[in-house]
Amino acid sequence: MEKNYKKITTNVLQELKDSGEKIAMLTAYDYTLAKIVDHAGIDVILVGDSASNVMAGHETTLPITLDQMIYHASSVVRAVERALVIVDLPFGSYQGNSKIALESTIRIMKESGAHGVKLEGGKAVKESVERIISAGVPVMGHLGLTPQSIYKFGTYNVRAKEEAEAAQLVEDAKLLEQIGCFSVVFEKIPASVAKTATEAIHIPTIGIGAGPHTDRQVLVLHDMLGLTTEFSPRFLRRYLNLAEEITGGVQQYIKDVKAIDFPNEKEQY
């Protein structure tokens, strides 16, 4: 029988995985939409560095700063009552220096009130992950297509299609579990590889473009609501077309103002 959890924690996520229940996760970056998403019953909210793209219009996730991530995370945390809120450590705030990684994490946790952080990479970020976890902060890993490394990859194509890279991904997933991550994201990898990796570890896995075999699915909120229209990968399902609806609403407002139909007698004092 499905339990009704008043508050989602990392322990609850593990309990849900162990019981075989799938977990839903979405991004959010502001108070208004986070409040709606949380009230709708989402389990996990990721304050993603994808805010760099959908909120600020940058081509990649690289430009967003730690201060900006804290601003977005604070806005989301103020709105949320039930969901677990995880925040991306932005590019440059953890790579290559575990001391900086911990300092960045402490700022996020203290200044935003978030419940944990996410960072990209496997063996290369082992020391940073260990240091953050040793401070008592839950860490979510991220393997496969890691957008902060886009200039190294040179493409947003599917990762881990080759046998060697797939094997390395599974080993990195095992390593992240071993050093204490509570969960790991698999982005844009073959469904068969995601299945193998999910079966190889005990912690919950999250898929985005990784097929149906992960324990959780995550999408960017603005993509699945149809607020963004330029981005249409195979894995994206649009549940609404808000860009079209908002455009229609704005156009009708313009017509009403120009026709002196708004405000009418009931809409004035």
Side-chain angles (χ1 to χ4, degrees), residues 107-201:
R107 280 201 62 202
I108 285 174
M109 299 299 286
K110 284 177 74 73
E111 295 176 39
S112 77
H115 309 131
V117 297
K118 178 169 79 65
L119 59 162
E120 297 178 1
K123 188 177 180 182
V125 295
K126 177 178 182 286
E127 190 179 324
S128 291
V129 172
E130 287 178 322
R131 197 158 188 167
I132 294 167
I133 291 172
S134 73
V137 179
V139 174
M140 179 182 286
H142 185 147
L143 299 171
L145 176 64
T146 47
Q148 290 179 12
S149 302
I150 185 56
Y151 291 124
K152 182 181 86 170
F153 294 148
T155 172
Y156 284 106
N157 288 347
V158 176
R159 305 302 309 174
K161 287 197 293 186
E162 303 299 325
E163 192 174 325
E165 189 179 350
Q168 184 60 55
L169 184 141
V170 174
E171 287 308 305
D172 278 339
K174 289 178 180 177
L175 174 67
L176 291 174
E177 177 182 40
Q178 180 190 335
I179 62 179
C181 285
F182 76 92
S183 184
V184 60
V185 172
F186 299 140
E187 179 167 358
K188 214 167 182 184
I189 65 173
S192 59
V193 176
K195 183 175 189 289
T196 299
T198 296
E199 291 172 349
I201 59 178

Side-chain angles (χ1 to χ4, degrees), residues 27-244:
T27 64
Y29 320 99
D30 68 274
Y31 177 87
T32 304
L33 285 177
K35 194 173 183 69
I36 293 169
V37 167
D38 183 61
H39 184 70
I42 205 72
D43 298 309
V44 185
I45 291 177
L46 172 67
V47 184
D49 57 3
S50 46
S52 180
N53 310 96
V54 300
M55 300 298 285
H58 292 296
E59 187 180 354
T60 71
T61 62
L62 274 62
I64 200 163
T65 66
L66 182 61
D67 284 341
Q68 289 167 335
M69 288 302 301
I70 289 169
Y71 166 79
H72 286 295
S74 301
S75 302
V76 168
V77 168
R78 282 192 289 272
V80 167
E81 295 180 1
R82 179 180 177 273
L84 185 77
V85 179
I86 303 298
V87 182
D88 269 335
L89 281 171
F91 178 74
S93 69
Y94 65 93
Q95 289 95 338
N97 190 321
S98 63
K99 184 174 182 290
I100 291 175
L102 180 57
E103 289 171 354
S104 302
T105 299
I106 288 171
R107 280 201 62 202
I108 285 174
M109 299 299 286
K110 284 177 74 73
E111 295 176 39
S112 77
H115 309 131
V117 297
K118 178 169 79 65
L119 59 162
E120 297 178 1
K123 188 177 180 182
V125 295
K126 177 178 182 286
E127 190 179 324
S128 291
V129 172
E130 287 178 322
R131 197 158 188 167
I132 294 167
I133 291 172
S134 73
V137 179
V139 174
M140 179 182 286
H142 185 147
L143 299 171
L145 176 64
T146 47
Q148 290 179 12
S149 302
I150 185 56
Y151 291 124
K152 182 181 86 170
F153 294 148
T155 172
Y156 284 106
N157 288 347
V158 176
R159 305 302 309 174
K161 287 197 293 186
E162 303 299 325
E163 192 174 325
E165 189 179 350
Q168 184 60 55
L169 184 141
V170 174
E171 287 308 305
D172 278 339
K174 289 178 180 177
L175 174 67
L176 291 174
E177 177 182 40
Q178 180 190 335
I179 62 179
C181 285
F182 76 92
S183 184
V184 60
V185 172
F186 299 140
E187 179 167 358
K188 214 167 182 184
I189 65 173
S192 59
V193 176
K195 183 175 189 289
T196 299
T198 296
E199 291 172 349
I201 59 178
H202 183 58
I203 58 175
T205 61
I206 307 128
I208 177 164
H213 306 296
T214 54
D215 303 301
R216 275 182 262 172
Q217 297 294 330
V218 62
L219 285 175
V220 170
L221 181 65
H222 290 58
D223 295 339
M224 62 85 72
L225 291 179
L227 281 165
T228 54
T229 56
E230 309 84 20
F231 184 66
S232 296
R234 182 191 300 183
F235 65 77
L236 173 60
R237 181 182 296 182
R238 283 198 169 87
Y239 285 80
L240 293 171
N241 189 352
L242 289 188
E244 192 175 288

